[in-house]
């Protein structure tokens, strides 16, 4: 519905990570005039979203998370499918070594929307794993994307629809002229949001000439679970640690060792893969590990996406749109 005849508040978004971009587009879809301010000149290093696996996995993520993560995450599948044509709708695969079968049983009890699959089906889905695992779980409705393509594509989508992006601007809300400011600075908003903490996530990108996958593969293990998300041209993203720390320091020897050891348990030939990147990001998290929308004056904070920035930013953005819509109603 066109809202051109209405006088709508102008919106400024601070932060061009996944939360900022998804919120910017959702507000634009609702008819608002939106300007986005991002401190980095180009996407990369300082943006937690750049290092993410990009798994949109509401059912798998129910393991170790609240029901709300699943329920709020399901809507993101259609959001992404409508706004980014690079989404891979291939499902997810969850495996464990035969001796860790209790892990698969536990995971299966805690999650829904999966099929228990045997060795032949595993081989049909992921030929590289033929003969390696007797049993697994397949989540056919889940999807994944590569953040390093998805984030620039979202920015282009926003620009083409008339949005304005100012890169290289490290701003504070007080200096912005828009009627409403949505603060999506991730962990950088810690000074304004004392409940926010950092959860460090380390990841490694490898290239294998021998082993590749079509969908995210999670290998359960009592101590060191690991996941691999396929990227283009034989690249695999291996993740991720989850450490209570807001350190942006380089990846530690212990974390790199643990992740790479786990990868070889998935397939020994991955021992021959080349390491092409080792990086760490700091996930912004609240004490309950759920995102939250909080308003102080004309500033709305959308933050706390923790391990679920791609999964939950469409829900978060919808809440921001509803909040702004309600305030317009009150003002009318
Ligand atoms: C290794 C790893 C794997 C992950 N895997 C997944 C996954 O598979 N699926 C999933 O859903 N989630 C995943 N996550 C979580 C996800 O990456 C985070 O939840 C998400 O990136 C948080 O996004 P954000 O936009 O809030 O913060 P950020 O991505 O950090 O974006 C904040 C932006 O604000 C900008 N900024 C800061 N201060 C200012 C300022 N003053 N002015 C202007 N701009 C400013 C920064 O430059 C940055 O670009 C993963 C995270 C990690 C680290």
């Amino acid at each position: 519905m066109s809202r051109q005849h209405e006088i709508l508040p102008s919106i400024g978004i601070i932060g061009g990570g996944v939360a900022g971009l998804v919120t910017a587009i959702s507000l634009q879809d609702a008819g608002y005039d939106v300007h986005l301010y991002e401190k980095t000149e180009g996407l990369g290093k300082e943006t937690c979203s750049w290092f993410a696996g990009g798994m949109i996995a509401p059912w798998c993520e129910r393991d170790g998370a609240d029901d709300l993560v699943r329920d709020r995450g399901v809507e993101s599948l259609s959001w992404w499918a409508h706004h980014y044509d690079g989404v891979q709708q291939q499902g997810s695969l969850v495996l464990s070594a035969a001796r860790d079968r209790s892990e698969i049983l536990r995971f299966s009890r805690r999650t829904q929307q999966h099929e228990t699959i045997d060795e032949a089906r595993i081989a049909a889905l992921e030929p590289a794993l033929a003969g390696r695992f007797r049993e697994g779980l397949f989540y056919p409705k889940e999807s994944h994307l590569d953040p390093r393509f998805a984030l620039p594509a979202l920015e282009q989508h926003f620009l083409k629809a008339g949005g304005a992006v100012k890169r290289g601007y490290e701003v504070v809300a007080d200096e912005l002229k828009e009627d409403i400011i949505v603060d999506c600075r991730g962990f950088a908003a810690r000074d304004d949001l004392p409940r926010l903490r950092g959860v460090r996530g380390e990841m490694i990108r490898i290239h294998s000439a021998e082993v590749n996958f079509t969908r995210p593969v999670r290998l359960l293990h009592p101590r060191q679970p690991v996941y691999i998300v396929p990227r283009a041209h034989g690249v695999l993203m291996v993740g991720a640690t989850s450490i209570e720390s807001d350190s942006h320091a380089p990846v530690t020897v212990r974390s790199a060792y643990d992740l790479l050891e786990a990868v070889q348990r998935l397939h020994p030939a991955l021992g021959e893969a080349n390491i092409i990147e080792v990086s760490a990001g700091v996930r912004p998290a609240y004490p309950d590990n759920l995102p939250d929308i909080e308003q102080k004056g004309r500033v709305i904070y959308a933050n706390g996406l923790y391990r679920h920035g791609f999964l939950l930013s469409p829900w978060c953005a919808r809440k921001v749109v509803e909040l702004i819509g309600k305030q317009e109603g009150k003002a009318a």
Side-chain angles (χ1 to χ4, degrees):
M1 185 184 69
S2 165
R3 303 180 67 184
Q4 276 166 350
H5 59 289
E6 299 174 50
I7 299 175
L8 297 172
S10 58
I11 317 274
I13 307 244
I14 311 181
V18 69
L21 284 164
V22 170
T23 305
I25 291 172
S26 299
L27 283 162
Q28 194 179 50
D29 287 350
Y32 294 94
D33 182 23
V34 186
H35 306 156
L36 186 144
Y37 301 86
E38 164 55 47
K39 76 173 175 186
T40 56
E41 293 284 352
L43 282 162
K45 274 191 199 162
E46 290 172 70
T47 304
C48 176
S49 307
W50 195 247
F51 303 111
M55 292 179 289
I56 306 169
W59 294 286
C60 282
E61 287 299 323
R62 170 64 184 83
D63 183 51
D66 198 280
D67 278 347
L68 288 173
V69 168
R70 177 197 61 215
D71 299 342
R72 294 173 179 178
V74 168
E75 74 182 62
S76 70
L77 290 163
S78 60
W79 193 95
W80 283 105
H82 278 103
H83 290 90
Y84 175 52
D85 61 12
V87 176
Q88 303 290 313
Q89 296 175 333
Q90 300 285 356
S92 320
L93 187 56
V94 177
L95 302 167
S96 76
R99 65 178 172 280
D100 301 326
R101 185 159 186 266
S102 59
E103 289 291 310
I104 280 274
L105 296 176
R106 180 192 57 73
F107 202 95
S108 155
R109 277 196 301 272
R110 284 186 57 82
T111 58
Q112 296 90 31
Q113 297 290 335
H114 53 73
E115 302 160 19
T116 299
I117 57 172
D118 62 10
E119 193 171 333
R121 186 82 199 288
I122 294 169
L125 286 168
E126 296 293 353
L129 295 173
R132 295 201 47 75
F133 295 92
R134 272 187 242 144
E135 190 181 20
L137 301 171
F138 180 48
Y139 296 74
K141 296 185 183 170
E142 296 189 337
S143 30
H144 71 281
L145 51 79
D146 183 342
R148 297 179 186 192
F149 288 102
L151 296 171
L154 288 191
E155 191 169 319
Q156 286 308 311
H157 177 110
F158 175 64
L159 287 168
K160 273 192 199 143
V165 176
K166 290 196 167 178
R167 284 199 159 270
Y169 283 75
E170 181 166 2
V171 295
V172 293
D174 284 351
E175 70 196 33
L176 298 181
K177 61 178 184 345
E178 288 83 0
D179 300 315
I180 296 174
I181 306 302
V182 187
D183 186 317
C184 297
R185 283 179 294 151
F187 186 69
R190 170 77 172 74
D191 287 350
D192 288 357
L193 301 172
R195 288 187 303 137
L196 207 63
R197 73 185 202 285
V199 180
R200 180 175 154 90
E202 293 152 304
M203 53 80 88
I204 300 179
R205 278 161 38 101
I206 60 177
H207 177 267
S208 171
E210 283 180 67
V211 179
N212 210 341
F213 302 119
T214 303
R215 56 187 57 73
V217 180
R218 297 176 187 235
L219 180 62
L220 305 180
H221 186 268
R223 277 192 320 282
Q224 185 58 56
V226 71
Y227 61 77
I228 291 193
V229 191
R231 304 293 194 223
H233 310 301
V235 173
L236 300 168
M237 182 272 188
V238 178
T241 59
S242 206
I243 298 170
E244 290 293 327
S245 163
D246 54 22
S247 166
H248 283 88
V251 173
T252 62
V253 169
R254 180 194 298 265
S255 295
Y257 175 85
D258 287 347
L259 289 171
L260 294 173
E261 189 271 331
V263 154
Q264 290 176 88
R265 274 192 270 113
L266 185 63
H267 201 305
L270 288 173
E272 299 305 319
N274 297 108
I275 297 172
I276 52 178
E277 180 186 333
V278 181
S279 296
V282 174
R283 309 174 181 100
Y286 285 124
D288 59 4
N289 293 333
L290 292 170
D292 197 13
I293 314 292
E294 182 178 337
Q295 185 162 12
K296 296 182 187 173
R298 70 177 177 125
V299 184
I300 296 170
Y301 294 86
N303 214 315
L305 283 149
Y306 181 51
R307 293 174 50 153
H308 305 123
F310 288 79
L311 181 63
L312 294 182
S313 45
W315 174 85
C316 235
R318 181 168 64 75
K319 287 290 161 191
V320 170
V321 174
E322 286 171 7
L323 182 63
I324 293 174
K326 269 188 210 149
Q327 290 173 8
E328 265 182 63
K330 273 188 206 149

